């Protein structure tokens, strides 16, 4: 609804007119300031501090934000994955399709590995000792072994997996269901094919509805972030600033290294210049950084890969929309670093098996991540649950997760830009491998 200077448009129109990123950053800054001030106030009656009172009376608003995010995890993964898998026509899953898919999944696995290696070296959150509400703390579930994780990917009962929110079995089932749906869409039986197309449309509409809900939840994010960050700083004090800066630095170093080593390595193997590529791809990369949306950047990415990089339209029209759905290298790095941060910050460093589970979960979950702002925070919930460190309101894990939420918008800008760069690299090298790239545009 358009508002004017006369104030028409509703009492909160100024809130919704303001850029979401700005609102989240304001919530983060004010929350940190309020939390530090509350933490400095002396104890009140009966040894109860003002900070305790703040958490008691206002912590609800932060907890509801976490519950809203957890609410959306299963339906987003299920509908997005089925729709994404079903959208890949079997006829396209030939040589080009296989190359594109392998590139996306391989680079996602490399990305999360880079994130984990960096986090092991830089150890963000180590010694921070984040605290939660003692009454809310629960014993961590024993982390399953890597062999158990691999076995449990195949569900014995998909409905039970959905009810329990077991992410890896849901991902496995959704991919199989989507592929089967894609195949029967091209069935010789017109009745069956028509029903399959109708079901895909219904599932796609359901996925879009979930994205709208995510967008609505993100409108509440500044309030949730304010309360969560204020609670963390009230308990932890100014010492929380350092770990947050270290997490941000670690993620961005990982993003830069991934672009140079992984993407630069692939381009170099096909005798293409990374410097020229980055110069040509600067417009979509910057647009993705600002908008924080791979899907929203798609029209620009399509134009640049064809006109400036020489990739044929039929390759880009397949690889780029697919990449906006399943290629989340920047998000994979973010997941690796942030999972390690939560482990270090809560005095529960991730074991080797847990780290390998993060690689598997992040790689597979990236297939079902919506290319919209805020999706990475939802994926982080999945990853933490898969390693036995589920986010429960009031716990130390929830407090550490809240810290990530506070800076998520800043991290989202870098990871989205990296995601889009990866989509373009995949499109270019697959075109070059097929001998159909216009190399004249690279001279």
């Amino acid at each position: 609804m358009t508002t004017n200077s006369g104030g028409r448009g509703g009492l909160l129109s100024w809130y919704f007119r303001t850029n979401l990123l700005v609102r989240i950053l304001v919530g983060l800054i004010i929350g940190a300031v309020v939390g530090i001030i509350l933490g400095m106030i002396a104890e009140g009656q009966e040894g109860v501090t003002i900070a305790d009172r703040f958490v008691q009376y206002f912590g609800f608003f932060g907890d509801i934000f976490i519950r809203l995010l957890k609410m959306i995890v299963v339906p987003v993964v299920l509908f997005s994955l089925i729709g994404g898998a079903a959208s890949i026509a079997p006829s396209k899953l030939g040589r080009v399709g296989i190359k594109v898919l392998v590139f996306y999944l391989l680079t996602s696995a490399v990305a999360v590995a880079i994130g984990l290696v960096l986090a092991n070296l830089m150890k963000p959150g180590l010694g921070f000792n984040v605290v939660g509400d003692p009454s809310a703390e629960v014993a961590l579930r024993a982390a399953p072994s890597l062999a158990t994780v691999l076995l449990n990917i195949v569900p014995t009962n998909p409905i039970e997996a959905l009810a329990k929110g077991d992410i890896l079995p849901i991902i496995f089932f959704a991919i199989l269901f989507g592929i089967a749906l894609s195949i029967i869409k091209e069935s010789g039986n017109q009745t069956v094919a028509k029903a399959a197309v109708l079901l895909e449309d219904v599932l796609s509409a359901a996925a879009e509805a979930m994205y709208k809900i995510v967008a609505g939840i993100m409108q509440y994010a500044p309030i949730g972030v304010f309360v969560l960050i204020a609670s963390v700083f009230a308990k932890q004090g100014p010492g929380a600033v350092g770990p947050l800066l270290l997490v941000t630095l670690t993620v961005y170093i990982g993003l830069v290294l991934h672009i140079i080593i992984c993407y630069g390595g692939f381009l170099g193997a096909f005798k293409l210049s990374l410097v020229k590529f980055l110069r040509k791809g600067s417009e979509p990369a910057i647009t993705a950084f600002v908008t924080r949306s791979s899907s929203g950047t798609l029209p620009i990415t399509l134009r640049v890969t064809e006109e400036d990089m020489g990739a044929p339209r039929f390759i880009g029209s397949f690889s780029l929309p697919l990449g906006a759905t399943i290629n989340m290298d920047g998000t994979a790095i973010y997941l690796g670093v942030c999972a390690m941060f939560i482990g270090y910050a809560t005095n529960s460093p991730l074991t080797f098996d847990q780290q390998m589970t993060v690689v598997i979960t992040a790689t597979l979950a990236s297939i079902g991540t919506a290319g919209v702002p805020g999706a990475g925070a939802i994926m982080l919930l999945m990853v933490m649950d898969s390693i036995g460190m589920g986010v429960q309101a009031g716990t130390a894990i929830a407090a550490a997760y809240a810290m990530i939420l506070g800076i998520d918008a800043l991290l989202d800008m870098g990871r989205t830009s990296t995601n889009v760069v990866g989509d373009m690299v995949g499109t270019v090298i697959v075109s070059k491998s097929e001998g159909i790239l216009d190399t004249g545009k690279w001279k």
Side-chain angles (χ1 to χ4, degrees), residues 278 281-290 297 413 416-418 420-421 424:
L278 293 176
S282 60
E283 183 183 355
I286 293 171
T287 303
F289 188 86
V290 174
T297 309
M413 297 168 77
T416 304
S417 184
T418 303
V420 169
V421 169
M424 292 189 291

Side-chain angles (χ1 to χ4, degrees), residues 328-354:
M328 300 289 168
D329 294 358
T331 305
I333 290 171
Y334 156 89
L335 293 173
V337 172
C338 292
M340 292 289 287
F341 164 77
I342 293 175
Y344 281 128
T346 57
N347 293 315
S348 304
L350 272 57
T351 64
F352 177 79
D353 279 357
Q354 284 178 309

Side-chain angles (χ1 to χ4, degrees), residues 197-226:
V197 172
L198 177 60
L199 179 56
E200 183 188 14
D201 289 342
V202 170
L203 291 169
S204 295
E208 289 299 324
M210 292 304 106
Y211 301 156
K212 288 295 183 184
I213 294 175
V214 171
I217 292 172
M218 293 310 294
Q219 294 299 323
Y220 180 73
I223 299 171
V225 165
F226 163 74

Side-chain angles (χ1 to χ4, degrees), residues 115-128 242-244 246-247 250 337 340-345 349 355:
L116 290 172
V117 169
L118 272 178
N120 276 291
L121 292 174
M122 301 183 71
K123 294 180 169 52
L126 182 65
F128 182 45
L244 288 176
L246 186 56
V247 169
T250 305
V337 172
M340 292 289 287
F341 164 77
I342 293 175
Y344 281 128
Q355 293 184 42

Side-chain angles (χ1 to χ4, degrees), residues 108-191:
S108 292
V110 171
V112 69
I114 287 175
L116 290 172
V117 169
L118 272 178
N120 276 291
L121 292 174
M122 301 183 71
K123 294 180 169 52
L126 182 65
F128 182 45
N129 301 324
V130 66
V131 295
D133 182 353
S135 64
E137 294 296 337
V138 293
L140 296 181
R141 291 189 290 110
S145 67
L146 184 58
T148 302
V149 170
L150 293 173
L151 180 63
N152 288 341
I153 288 176
V154 182
T156 55
N157 185 343
I159 306 303
E160 182 182 11
L162 287 168
K164 290 184 176 180
D166 291 337
I167 294 302
L168 287 177
I170 293 172
I171 290 173
F172 182 83
F173 174 76
I175 292 174
L176 289 184
F177 191 95
I179 292 173
L181 189 60
S182 174
I183 293 171
I184 64 176
K185 281 194 306 178
E186 299 190 2
S187 169
N189 186 324
Q190 293 301 311
T191 302

Side-chain angles (χ1 to χ4, degrees), residues 348-409:
S348 304
L350 272 57
T351 64
F352 177 79
D353 279 357
Q354 284 178 309
Q355 293 184 42
M356 291 304 98
T357 302
V358 171
V359 173
I360 296 169
T361 307
T363 302
L364 293 178
S366 68
I367 302 172
T369 303
V372 296
I378 297 174
M379 281 185 69
L380 184 56
L381 286 172
M382 305 180 211
V383 169
M384 297 311 300
D385 187 66
S386 73
I387 57 176
M389 299 178 68
V391 178
Q392 302 295 331
T395 62
I397 292 175
Y401 178 74
M403 295 175 68
I404 297 298
L405 286 178
I407 59 173
D408 184 70

